[in-house]
Amino acid sequence: EWAYMSRGMSRLKLKDFDGAKQDLDVSISIRPLAQSLYERGYLYEQEGMRLEAFDMYFRSVKLEPSYAKSHLNLAVLYSQDQNSEMAFEHFKLAVKHDNSYSLAHFNLGISYKMNGNMEQSLKSFTRAIKLEPNNPLYIRHRGVLQFQIKNYDAAIKDFEGAETIMLLTLSSR
């Protein structure tokens, strides 16, 4: 199953979605693993097949409850469906099971902000930035939050930092 899963993931990186689907389906039929179920769920999402993606992510976390990537993708799907309670729970689970997952911290920060918990939102954004300090999206979102809670000096610093990173990225292309 590992050979099929690895080849499927390689094909996914090469945007060979049909080949990736075939290999992942074989891998899952031999022995489902959380990672292969996650990758297959991702492919379903790319095809616009949300229910199938939900199913794969659920199967993934049922098989391996600590698989953070599946929790994150479940949370995103729940957010898109306006189910903020379930999204929040899965964002928290993603962070709980992988505290070094910057994207999970960032999305948890957004969820906290939407729930009105600005202090926890700020902590989550800051943690995401500590994990990925050159991500202008994370820095800009923290700047917006800093502005909203009237930490204007900190907001300016974040906006300037995000702008600098974006300009450096553009100039290096």
Side-chain angles (χ1 to χ4, degrees):
E1 77 276 357
W2 280 101
Y4 286 106
M5 182 177 69
S6 297
R7 188 170 68 185
M9 290 170 56
S10 296
R11 287 182 169 171
L12 181 59
K13 296 285 185 197
L14 295 171
K15 307 283 190 232
D16 175 9
F17 296 131
D18 290 333
K21 281 189 275 189
Q22 290 173 355
D23 284 339
L24 289 170
D25 286 344
V26 170
S27 173
I28 291 167
S29 72
I30 294 171
R31 185 172 134 218
L33 300 170
Q35 186 174 4
S36 59
L37 293 165
Y38 163 81
E39 298 292 347
R40 190 62 178 98
Y42 175 80
L43 279 169
Y44 278 128
E45 272 194 86
Q46 299 310 300
E47 297 173 306
M49 302 173 74
R50 294 171 47 79
L51 292 177
E52 291 82 355
F54 261 115
D55 180 57
M56 287 294 139
Y57 298 141
F58 274 121
R59 288 176 60 193
S60 174
V61 297
K62 185 174 182 180
L63 186 65
E64 189 179 325
S66 63
Y67 200 75
K69 286 183 172 183
S70 290
H71 282 294
L72 179 67
N73 284 30
L74 280 169
V76 169
L77 289 173
Y78 277 124
S79 291
Q80 292 169 351
D81 287 346
Q82 307 300 313
N83 189 338
S84 59
E85 286 181 31
M86 288 300 291
F88 182 66
E89 289 306 314
H90 282 282
F91 285 134
K92 287 195 310 187
L93 287 168
V95 166
K96 174 185 174 187
H97 294 300
D98 186 353
N99 197 35
S100 66
Y101 197 0
S102 63
L103 185 58
H105 283 281
F106 171 71
N107 280 290
L108 181 58
I110 291 172
S111 191
Y112 275 125
K113 185 178 172 189
M114 291 174 63
N115 290 327
N117 190 336
M118 302 308 187
E119 183 179 332
Q120 284 303 119
S121 178
L122 184 60
K123 286 179 182 178
S124 292
F125 287 151
T126 300
R127 177 70 179 149
I129 293 165
K130 283 182 182 175
L131 293 167
E132 201 174 334
N134 292 322
N135 189 316
L137 179 66
Y138 298 172
I139 298 168
R140 187 175 61 81
H141 271 267
R142 186 178 68 181
V144 169
L145 177 63
Q146 296 279 23
F147 181 83
Q148 290 172 333
I149 61 176
K150 300 184 182 350
N151 289 342
Y152 299 119
D153 289 336
I156 290 169
K157 184 178 176 185
D158 280 345
F159 292 140
E160 289 173 347
E163 181 181 23
T164 299
I165 292 167
M166 290 188 304
L167 290 173
L168 288 173
T169 302
L170 289 174
S171 68
S172 68
R173 288 183 184 177

